[in-house]
Amino acid sequence: MNQVLSQGGQNQAGGMKELISFRIGAQEFCVDIMAIREIRGWTAATALPQSPSFVKGVINLRGAVLPIVDLASRLGFESTEASDRNVIIVAQIGEQVVGLLVDAVSDILTVTDDVIQPTPDVASETAKSFIRGLIAMDGRMISLIGLDRVLPDMELEAA
Amino acid sequence: MDPLAAIRETFFQECEEQLAELESGLLAMESGDQDPETLNAVFRAVHSIKGGAGAFQLEALIRFAHVFETAMDEMRSGRLAATDPVLKTMLRAADVLADLVRKAHGGDDTEHPLAAGLAEELKALSGAAGADDEGGEEDWGDFEFQPMAVAMDGAPEAEGPAGFVVSFKPRADLYAKANEAALLLRELTRLGPAEVELDAHDVPPLADLDPEAAYLSWRVTMTGETDEASIREVFEFVDGDCELDVSPLGGVQSDAEGAADAGFDLSALLAQAQADAPPPIAVAPDEPMPELTPEPAPAPVSAPVVALNPTPAPAAPIAANETPAEAQAAGGPRKTEAGAGATIRVDLDRVDRLIDLVGELVINQAVLAQRVMEAGLARASAVAMGLDELEQLTREIQDSVMAIRAQPVKSVFQRMPRLVREVGAMVGKPVRLVTEGEGTEVDKTVIERLADPLTHMIRNAIDHGLESPEKRAAAGKPAEGVVKLAAFHRSGRIVIEVSDDGGGINRERVKGIAIEKGLISAEAQLSDEEIDNLIFMPGFSTAAEVSDISGRGVGMDVVRRSIQALGGRITITSRPGKGSTFTMSLPLTLAVLDGMVVSAHGQTLVAPITAIVETLQPKAEDVHSLGGHARVIAIRGGFVPLIDVGMALGYRRDPLEATQGVALLIEGEGGSRAALLVDAIQGQRQVVIKSLEANYRQVPGVAAATILGDGRVALILDIDTIVTVSRGDMRKAS
């Protein structure tokens, strides 16, 4: 289980978790709210040479250089053509702070651990490495994403 | 960290400061400093280390510090003259003490290989190692320290006289720090029978009396079983705030006796002094001194002393002469002490956080200014003027904050005397190190990263620069070689020079070696300067045999690279027979950088100015293709590779037409030249360096990032990597 989640779990009594849900295309995802620092609008990123296609570049977050990961591209969907309508979720992953480019933030969910169902065994490696579980809510399916593998460095370490 | 570990850490931090003080004090004495304050400071340094070590039971450290302290005490009491050989031994002892401290810091409280021998030398100096200790000498070799401890305990008693005369003159500071002379005197009387005599003849007429000044002094004759150390211990807390002299009861005894008979009611006055504090104020207007009238006539208080003392005349003038001199001498150290008291220890992280925040402020201010411009507000509008003020303020804040990280280069310079001593001894060349401009300040990070290149250069200067004593004699130079280390500020950078008075660079030999090693062609016509700079080429080493000192396979190219990595440059000037000078010019901080803002394929990039030699507009006839995308450009008859920055960073696939862009001629690692082709130059600017690694990772070809006035991130080029990478690409392409 990812570290961020377990940390969040400790802070909330009775196995209750708060998750932030967002959209990428038609799909809904969520991450633990404890990992989220802020949500901000899209600003043009400075491209980084020699970087994976899912790294959109870096932006200035109040003086810090923040890498932007296109979560759609990272999860294996078509990469996002970012515009003013897009949103950047600023997340803390370990010691690093990363911006996640998504289409829109939709909701804050409060769930108990038992609501989170294990990911069914599917062929996609990408799904396996990022999706920590599924939540069924009002007839929608929301995938819980673990953030620890989002940055390319961590992918190298895991390999 | 548990509290004890924290205290321990503080102790070791303080040890480092004490060691620095010790070494600089000894060096000052070596160069003729006679100031007793210097000797006291040196003594205090060793004493404090010993004291702290005692608290943490660092036995090896205590033992060595104790011997050292004893030897120094001999010097302080004037029994051991501060001659050159003595000071040399002391300096070596300081080195060993430093090693012991560092070992103890690392948790290793064992003996130092040199400690035993040096302790023996020190004991020989202090004369404490008398005949009674002869038997212990063999044991010393076997790191058996028992005999020494015995000897040390015995020593002061063995030569301790039957009594002491303590003369004690408080300075105003003593009272200002809420110390009380009467209490000290009372403490002294507890050590044994003591006669206390007040000397009040410095007390001015009442009209001239400064209520906050100190005029009284005391002379105490101790006749009991005591030793100098315990007497000094009484005054430990007022050390530096008083003039204290402890001398054995001997020649001065008659004085003391005479004084005791002076008919002055000392005990009454002492009682008075004890009752009324502070004494100078309370005592002065009181009954025992009715003579404090406006007449400047010699006060009867002092008169009896003068009259009845068998030898009063010489004593009084000496005391009078000494007082202002000592006060003056003490003025310097006291000021530094006051300075030291006004400093605080701050966690480096906090300072760095502050620097980051100020960096953000600077960027934000620039962003705001640009927005205001874009909004079309008039230059003279209230908003724009307010912004101008904000800009000035921001700059000032930035400078002040940077100054917090700035430290004098002293911290790295003071490591060098030891190196010089060791290297000099190893190669058998007597060397004197002269340092200048130790107070020159530069960013802490720069200082930390200067130590290695400086060490290397000084080794080189002694090993290769200076001639052997015989050759020096033949050349009519003094046998002792001089290596000079100087630092100063010049046009917003710090310049550090390492020079020697040796034989200068042997250009014939340097050129020969360069040809032999294939670094240059045999026909190459080189200027003297170019030959001198050959020593910076990778793989160059002039020493005929690889020596222990500097020929460790790392040459001056490594020095040059580490200086360049700091954004600096290094050059050499050499005059045959007179010596060589290496000049390093470094940025004052690693937090900001002077950059050339350029654009390549729509991206804004920053190239460090230090690497850029010149900029030029390529002409079609100067650019030649070598096949593939590899191109060279002709510059003054030579060809240098032309690197398309946009392509090197992967922004575009097809090369930019050379005539459409601007070329930056740069000098990279090892002096290799290349031209970087960019679309346009936007200008020159000082930029705040931001790490990419903090939130992402290292990117090849990018040294760091910065934030420009429009609030966007711009990448700072890593020129060396771009050159090496594109060289590799060219090889692949061809």
Side-chain angles (χ1 to χ4, degrees):
Chain A
M1 207 53 190
N2 87 59
Q3 202 190 352
V4 173
L5 272 186
S6 52
Q7 274 173 358
Q10 281 164 11
N11 295 338
Q12 291 146 18
M16 294 294 277
K17 256 190 221 309
E18 279 195 297
L19 305 170
I20 225 163
S21 72
F22 52 87
R23 276 191 310 104
I24 296 173
Q27 309 219 35
E28 257 190 290
F29 298 89
C30 61
V31 291
D32 193 307
I33 206 165
M34 300 307 287
I36 306 307
R37 296 262 295 261
E38 65 180 279
I39 294 164
R40 50 171 294 149
W42 163 256
T43 42
T46 303
L48 284 174
Q50 334 268 350
S51 289
S53 58
F54 59 82
V55 176
K56 280 272 171 192
V58 283
I59 64 162
N60 161 24
L61 179 75
R62 288 185 303 279
V65 175
L66 185 78
I68 302 298
V69 171
D70 178 357
L71 212 50
S73 168
R74 187 66 177 128
L75 295 173
F77 305 115
E78 201 137 298
S79 70
T80 313
E81 277 305 320
S83 72
D84 284 350
R85 272 173 300 184
N86 288 98
V87 171
I88 292 169
I89 301 178
V90 181
Q92 176 96 38
I93 306 175
E95 292 290 298
Q96 298 184 307
V97 181
V98 178
L100 307 171
L101 177 65
V102 300
D103 285 344
V105 170
S106 34
D107 213 348
I108 292 174
L109 314 170
T110 308
V111 297
T112 48
D113 279 341
D114 54 314
V115 177
I116 303 166
Q117 302 168 17
T119 320
D121 212 357
V122 289
S124 162
E125 280 302 315
T126 323
K128 274 188 212 157
S129 51
F130 297 109
I131 296 174
R132 297 278 174 260
L134 300 174
I135 298 165
M137 194 166 274
D138 310 333
R140 295 174 294 164
M141 184 194 80
I142 306 171
S143 317
L144 176 64
I145 292 184
L147 294 176
D148 48 351
R149 303 270 305 271
V150 164
L151 273 184
D153 251 0
M154 312 208 167
E155 190 180 46
L156 285 177
E157 274 168 23
Chain B
M1 200 187 275
D2 71 282
L4 192 64
I7 296 171
R8 195 182 147 98
E9 207 45 47
T10 311
F11 161 63
F12 282 114
Q13 274 174 15
E14 281 170 0
C15 269
E16 287 302 322
E17 286 161 23
Q18 307 283 11
L19 287 169
E21 180 122 332
L22 171 63
E23 180 158 20
S24 57
L26 286 173
L27 286 171
M29 286 163 70
E30 199 184 16
S31 54
D33 186 342
Q34 305 268 335
D35 188 347
E37 234 353 274
T38 312
L39 179 55
N40 284 339
V42 163
F43 177 80
R44 269 200 304 274
V46 180
H47 182 74
S48 316
I49 292 175
K50 186 182 99 169
F56 295 102
Q57 283 129 34
L58 302 166
E59 296 300 336
L61 187 55
I62 302 169
R63 274 195 297 267
F64 189 76
H66 184 80
V67 187
F68 199 176
E69 187 190 9
T70 311
M72 242 166 218
D73 202 31
E74 292 294 308
M75 210 146 133
R76 210 161 69 138
S77 59
R79 282 190 291 271
L80 176 65
T83 56
D84 206 40
V86 169
L87 287 168
K88 287 252 187 321
T89 310
M90 295 257 174
L91 276 165
R92 278 188 292 127
D95 293 347
V96 170
L97 190 66
D99 282 346
L100 282 169
V101 166
R102 268 153 222 157
K103 270 170 65 169
H105 194 184
D108 170 21
D109 182 36
T110 53
E111 284 308 328
H112 189 279
L114 297 176
L118 261 170
E120 205 50 48
E121 277 185 63
L122 286 173
K123 281 205 287 177
L125 287 181
S126 57
D132 59 328
D133 196 37
E134 294 290 328
E137 293 204 1
E138 283 82 17
D139 292 346
W140 262 103
D142 297 325
F143 48 88
E144 170 55 70
F145 291 88
Q146 214 62 20
M148 182 197 89
V150 171
M152 295 327 301
D153 288 342
E157 278 163 40
E159 52 167 36
F164 291 93
V165 176
V166 182
S167 75
F168 167 54
K169 179 166 171 41
R171 298 200 187 105
D173 273 2
L174 184 139
Y175 300 112
K177 289 179 187 167
N179 282 307
E180 167 62 80
L183 294 179
L184 292 167
L185 293 171
R186 196 193 298 158
E187 198 59 40
L188 210 52
T189 58
R190 290 206 180 123
L191 291 175
E195 278 184 68
V196 183
E197 170 204 350
L198 171 73
D199 179 358
H201 74 259
D202 279 345
V203 179
L206 192 54
D208 301 338
L209 189 121
D210 173 359
E212 306 233 330
Y215 299 108
L216 301 179
S217 58
W218 287 268
R219 172 194 277 267
V220 185
T221 314
M222 311 274 304
T223 47
E225 281 288 309
T226 182
D227 57 80
E228 187 175 340
S230 357
I231 294 176
R232 287 199 181 270
E233 210 176 299
V234 170
F235 296 95
E236 201 174 358
F237 291 108
V238 294
D239 206 4
D241 292 331
C242 66
E243 284 159 35
L244 180 68
D245 181 58
V246 182
S247 48
L249 200 55
V252 281
Q253 196 162 13
S254 54
D255 279 20
E257 272 169 9
D261 293 338
F264 194 76
D265 191 357
L266 291 168
S267 44
L269 193 62
L270 185 59
Q272 184 96 38
Q274 281 170 337
D276 312 336
I281 303 166
V283 174
D286 230 276
E287 190 271 326
M289 278 178 274
E291 47 285 8
L292 287 175
T293 47
E295 292 100 49
V301 185
S302 55
V305 179
V306 173
L308 296 175
N309 268 356
T311 52
I318 287 170
N321 287 346
E322 264 174 14
T323 312
E326 271 189 36
Q328 257 180 3
R334 256 204 320 212
K335 252 178 240 153
T336 48
E337 267 169 40
T343 61
I344 51 165
R345 284 176 205 277
V346 182
D347 199 17
L348 198 56
D349 287 344
R350 291 194 191 183
V351 175
D352 288 348
R353 172 84 189 119
L354 184 62
I355 287 176
D356 278 354
L357 283 172
V358 171
E360 285 170 35
L361 182 66
V362 171
I363 292 159
N364 240 304
Q365 182 270 326
V367 172
L368 200 56
Q370 192 153 341
R371 295 273 152 83
V372 168
M373 289 283 282
E374 282 164 8
L377 286 171
R379 256 340 261 149
S381 69
V383 175
M385 287 196 307
L387 266 178
D388 282 349
E389 272 169 43
L390 179 66
E391 180 178 351
Q392 257 180 14
L393 203 58
T394 321
R395 266 237 164 172
E396 253 173 68
I397 294 176
Q398 191 180 22
D399 288 347
S400 322
V401 169
M402 291 296 179
I404 298 180
R405 268 193 72 101
Q407 285 193 326
V409 286
K410 191 176 172 200
S411 59
V412 61
F413 274 23
Q414 69 194 9
R415 293 189 221 169
M416 299 304 155
R418 173 174 189 180
L419 177 81
V420 169
R421 285 196 292 279
E422 287 177 354
V423 175
M426 220 181 285
V427 298
K429 295 177 186 171
V431 191
R432 188 157 54 91
L433 179 74
V434 180
T435 53
E436 258 177 35
E438 287 167 313
T440 316
E441 289 192 335
V442 66
D443 190 272
K444 189 173 157 57
T445 329
V446 178
I447 290 185
E448 281 160 5
R449 289 164 65 177
L450 259 180
D452 281 349
L454 269 188
T455 307
H456 196 83
M457 283 162 73
I458 286 188
R459 277 195 182 129
N460 246 309
I462 299 171
D463 196 20
H464 303 316
L466 296 178
E467 318 93 322
S468 62
E470 300 80 47
K471 274 194 195 157
R472 287 184 72 90
K477 291 187 192 176
E480 192 178 53
V482 176
V483 171
K484 196 172 130 189
L485 190 56
F488 50 93
H489 283 144
R490 190 161 65 197
S491 51
R493 291 171 77 82
I494 183 170
V495 178
I496 296 179
E497 285 183 352
V498 178
S499 46
D500 60 68
D501 69 343
I505 284 186
N506 185 339
R507 298 200 173 109
E508 282 306 302
R509 219 171 111 220
V510 165
K511 199 175 168 187
I513 291 169
I515 294 169
E516 186 189 308
K517 298 205 169 165
L519 299 173
I520 53 167
S521 72
E523 301 84 45
Q525 290 298 312
L526 298 177
S527 68
D528 285 351
E529 198 192 332
E530 280 169 326
I531 295 174
D532 292 347
N533 281 292
L534 284 176
I535 64 164
F536 292 116
M537 305 250 317
F540 188 92
S541 175
T542 46
E545 303 138 42
V546 169
S547 73
D548 263 356
I549 315 300
S550 47
R552 289 183 187 160
V554 280
M556 291 305 290
D557 62 312
V558 177
V559 171
R560 183 195 183 104
R561 213 173 308 150
S562 40
I563 297 296
Q564 278 176 339
L566 284 170
R569 278 164 179 279
I570 180 167
T571 52
I572 177 173
T573 49
S574 180
R575 285 162 67 208
K578 303 271 188 202
S580 315
T581 302
F582 288 92
T583 309
M584 289 177 278
S585 148
L586 294 156
L588 290 179
T589 166
L590 299 183
V592 293
L593 168 129
D594 282 311
M596 182 86 85
V597 183
V598 300
S599 53
H601 198 67
Q603 298 288 337
T604 306
L605 300 163
V606 179
I609 288 255
T610 45
I612 300 173
V613 180
E614 61 176 283
T615 60
L616 50 115
Q617 197 85 49
K619 293 194 193 74
E621 63 268 27
D622 288 341
V623 179
H624 306 276
S625 177
L626 293 180
H629 291 315
R631 289 181 289 181
V632 292
I633 182 166
I635 293 171
R636 282 187 286 281
F639 292 100
V640 298
L642 183 67
I643 298 160
D644 187 322
V645 174
M647 275 182 74
L649 293 181
Y651 291 143
R652 63 172 145 232
R653 295 191 182 282
D654 297 311
L656 177 74
E657 191 56 49
T659 49
Q660 312 251 302
V662 183
L664 313 175
L665 183 64
I666 53 114
E667 189 165 292
E669 200 175 292
S672 63
R673 290 186 161 203
L676 300 184
L677 186 66
V678 296
D679 295 16
I681 292 176
Q682 294 181 7
Q684 199 173 319
R685 200 163 308 166
Q686 194 174 62
V687 296
V688 178
I689 299 173
K690 294 278 169 184
S691 150
L692 262 186
E693 287 95 326
N695 287 326
Y696 187 55
R697 60 173 182 186
Q698 221 178 351
V699 177
V702 177
T706 186
I707 295 163
L708 294 180
D710 60 1
R712 290 200 52 180
V713 177
L715 303 178
I716 300 172
L717 296 174
D718 177 355
I719 286 182
D720 282 340
T721 319
I722 289 181
V723 172
T724 6
V725 165
S726 25
R727 213 180 276 149
D729 283 351
M730 274 180 206
R731 269 186 217 123
K732 262 182 258 160
S734 56

